[in-house]
């Protein structure tokens, strides 16, 4: 009962937050035909992004069927490895941005400052790279690691093309 209640609570929180994120993305992407067609940028009478939450719920329902795909023995490991690879890339980019910010003339030394950042930032990036490489070493996470690598490379190429203009 406790595990099911915790899982239901987690799912509820996930649906709410992904619905809000999807709504915000739809609001900030005015020329997206898909977002406009689905009306993801609208709120209900109560101020809830209900359409975005419904789309999020549909994605969650579809993801439950990943286990029945041929060649997928462990859907949890597949999804976890995929998302872990992307999160690792995001954290590496945060470390790169932090290094560049600390070296820039715009840097303001207020608040918490990471001690020994010149040494710890690259060390942190190496650790994240090590964790990412280990995803390729286990059979259950290999496919997810490949998927996240393809996503990272594809999104990187797209970002370079889109924002170089």
């Amino acid at each position: 009962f406790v595990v099911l209640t915790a899982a239901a609570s987690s799912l509820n929180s996930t649906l709410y937050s992904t619905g809000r994120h999807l709504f915000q993305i739809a609001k900030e992407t005015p020329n997206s035909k898909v977002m406009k067609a689905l009306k993801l940028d609208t709120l209900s009478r109560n101020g809830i992004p209900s359409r975005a939450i419904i789309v999020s719920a549909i994605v969650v329902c579809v993801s439950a069927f990943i286990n029945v795909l041929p060649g997928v023995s462990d859907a949890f490991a597949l999804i976890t490895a995929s998302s872990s690879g992307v999160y690792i890339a995001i954290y590496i980019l945060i470390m790169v941005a932090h290094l560049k910010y600390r070296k820039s003339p715009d840097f303001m030394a207020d608040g918490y400052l990471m001690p020994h950042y010149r040494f710890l930032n690259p060390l942190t990036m190496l650790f994240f790279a090590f964790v990412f490489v280990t995803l390729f070493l286990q059979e259950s996470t290999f496919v997810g690691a490949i998927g996240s690598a393809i996503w990272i490379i594809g999104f990187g190429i797209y970002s370079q093309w889109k924002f170089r203009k």
Side-chain angles (χ1 to χ4, degrees):
F1 177 75
V2 171
V3 171
L4 290 176
T5 304
S9 174
S10 175
L11 181 60
N12 184 41
S13 171
T14 300
L15 286 177
Y16 182 78
S17 64
T18 56
R20 286 280 176 193
H21 284 283
L22 196 55
F23 168 76
Q24 191 65 34
I25 290 169
K27 278 293 213 196
E28 292 176 359
T29 314
N31 58 354
S32 175
K33 292 177 180 138
V34 174
M35 300 286 190
K36 295 296 179 194
L38 295 174
K39 296 185 181 177
L40 297 179
D41 60 343
T42 58
L43 296 173
S44 69
R45 283 180 273 137
N46 298 330
I48 298 168
S50 55
R51 289 181 182 260
I53 291 173
I54 290 169
V55 168
S56 298
I58 290 169
V59 170
V60 169
C61 290
V62 168
S63 67
F65 293 104
I66 290 177
N67 257 341
V68 297
L69 292 176
V72 177
S73 61
D74 188 4
F76 179 76
L78 174 71
I79 293 170
T80 304
S82 307
S83 60
S84 295
V86 173
Y87 285 132
I88 288 168
I90 289 168
Y91 285 121
I92 288 173
L93 290 174
I94 289 171
M95 291 286 107
V96 169
H98 178 255
L99 257 178
K100 287 186 175 196
Y101 174 65
R102 288 290 297 259
K103 293 177 181 178
S104 78
D106 296 331
F107 173 68
M108 294 185 298
D110 60 341
Y112 175 78
L113 298 176
M114 182 176 180
H116 311 292
Y117 75 95
R118 285 189 178 111
F119 171 71
L120 291 178
N121 268 14
L123 185 64
T124 303
M125 288 187 273
L126 278 171
F127 172 73
F128 283 139
F130 169 75
V131 172
F132 186 69
V133 168
T134 61
L135 291 175
F136 289 93
L137 301 177
Q138 192 171 4
E139 186 179 335
S140 63
T141 58
F142 183 78
V143 174
I146 293 286
S148 67
I150 291 170
W151 175 261
I152 292 164
I153 292 167
F155 190 71
I157 292 169
Y158 171 76
S159 296
Q160 287 295 316
W161 172 78
K162 175 93 174 166
F163 298 108
R164 194 164 287 239
K165 294 180 181 179

